[in-house]
Amino acid sequence: MTVLYCHCSDCRRWTGAALPAFVAFTTGDVAVTPDVPSARYESGAVRQNCPDCGSPLTAAFPYLPDQIYVPVGVLNNPDRYPPQLHCHVASKPKWLHIEDDLARETASGRDTLNEAFDD
């Protein structure tokens, strides 16, 4: 399992957060019930939102096969999922300054995410 912060503008807009955090699960380990329609975006991302409240539920990306990303903010126990990585730091708001020792990827971090997921 990988937990990351994503600084990209797509994730910021989707979650409404300046710095959203996500947990990567194996696709087969996550089920949204009842079945929720998904939307495919120009980027290729497939996202699901709660049809009742609009909360972001899941995101899947073509370059991260067999992985599904769930925003930490919708989980009951967010303390169980401390982030391990920052992705898309080149896209972060200029005013956002995070002082931590986590690895930073300028772009998607797909290689790091795929390697960490395989471990």
Side-chain angles (χ1 to χ4, degrees), residues 26-103:
T26 301
T27 303
D29 289 343
V30 174
V32 178
T33 56
D35 192 27
V36 173
S38 59
R40 182 175 299 278
Y41 293 85
E42 189 174 311
S43 66
V46 176
R47 299 182 194 267
Q48 291 180 304
N49 289 67
C50 175
D52 294 328
C53 70
S55 292
L57 298 175
T58 67
F61 306 92
Y63 56 86
L64 299 169
D66 303 319
Q67 300 177 45
I68 191 160
Y69 287 76
V70 176
V72 172
V74 302
L75 299 173
N76 289 333
N77 299 312
D79 287 338
R80 292 179 53 197
Y81 306 101
Q84 305 155 312
L85 173 72
H86 289 266
C87 291
H88 287 286
V89 290
S91 299
K92 76 175 188 60
K94 292 182 184 350
W95 51 261
L96 182 65
H97 302 283
I98 304 292
E99 301 294 328
D100 61 32
D101 295 330
L102 302 180

Side-chain angles (χ1 to χ4, degrees), residues 105-119:
E105 295 283 346
T106 305
S108 72
R110 72 183 65 198
D111 292 338
T112 301
L113 293 171
N114 280 317
E115 287 172 17
F117 199 75
D118 289 337
D119 290 344

